Amino acid sequence: MNESHSFSPITIFTIGFAQKSAREFFGILKAAGVRTVVDVRLNNVSQLAGFTRKNDLAFFLAEIGRIGYEHHPELAPTKEMLDAYRGGKVEWAEHAERIRRLLGDRAVEHSLSREELNGACLLCSEPEPDRCRRSIVAAYLRNTWDNVEIRHLPEKG
């Protein structure tokens, strides 16, 4: 049922940290007015994550931008799904569809709050939004909830 008139519009941002310096990353979030970063990575403590490891990221966000941090692994694909995609056993289109089905199976739209996600920024590692799970999650929520605007950061001028 589509009753878009019954919900106030919300904005969900997305960002990837790869190929960004800490200065760029935190500057982009602050300039956009992001309230909370919602981490959609399964593993947020990897050495590869650098300044975006869970505890460091929560500290930096609070200190630099007064931005909250939440880790939502229910928005991430399973380890098996990631391994199949990264190992080349599954192409991007199939991987994306599996993630959409998983989000539906998990009914994440019921465990998340529209109000809490308004002004929040979905985080993953990919530098561009066209082949990343944050975009799949954002699109899933836009298609499930009404009146959702998605803004990928940094925005192309």
Side-chain angles (χ1 to χ4, degrees):
M1 176 165 51
N2 188 346
E3 298 179 20
S4 59
H5 62 278
S6 63
F7 292 107
S8 297
I10 67 168
T11 300
I12 298 174
F13 299 96
T14 80
I15 194 168
F17 64 81
Q19 300 176 5
K20 290 177 185 64
S21 68
R23 179 183 300 269
E24 280 179 290
F25 178 79
F26 294 106
I28 290 165
L29 293 172
K30 282 177 63 174
V34 167
R35 296 183 318 115
T36 304
V37 167
V38 175
D39 196 335
V40 302
R41 296 174 292 168
L42 188 60
N43 180 8
N44 63 354
V45 293
S46 161
Q47 289 299 99
L48 298 176
F51 65 85
T52 63
R53 283 195 312 268
K54 179 182 180 176
N55 293 335
D56 292 337
L57 181 57
F59 171 79
F60 291 140
L61 287 167
E63 290 295 314
I64 294 170
R66 294 193 180 359
I67 299 170
Y69 172 81
E70 297 176 11
H71 183 220
H72 283 276
E74 73 274 16
L75 300 177
T78 65
K79 181 181 183 323
E80 294 75 22
M81 290 169 68
L82 286 172
D83 289 348
Y85 175 63
R86 290 178 179 153
K89 295 176 183 166
V90 173
E91 295 294 323
W92 172 253
E94 176 61 23
H95 181 61
E97 182 54 36
R98 288 178 179 188
I99 293 171
R100 283 189 284 277
R101 282 195 308 265
L102 183 64
L103 294 170
D105 291 346
R106 291 176 174 170
V108 298
E109 68 274 17
H110 299 298
S111 63
L112 300 170
S113 160
R114 284 176 56 89
E115 294 74 27
E116 289 176 2
L117 281 186
N118 188 22
C121 186
L122 304 178
L123 168 76
C124 76
S125 61
E126 296 300 323
E128 296 298 327
D130 50 332
R131 281 186 174 241
C132 72
R133 62 186 151 277
R134 68 184 187 268
S135 295
I136 297 168
V137 172
Y140 175 87
L141 293 173
R142 182 185 57 210
N143 292 336
T144 307
W145 296 339
D146 288 317
N147 280 342
V148 175
E149 175 189 6
I150 299 170
R151 291 178 53 194
H152 300 292
L153 300 176
E155 296 180 293
K156 307 292 184 217

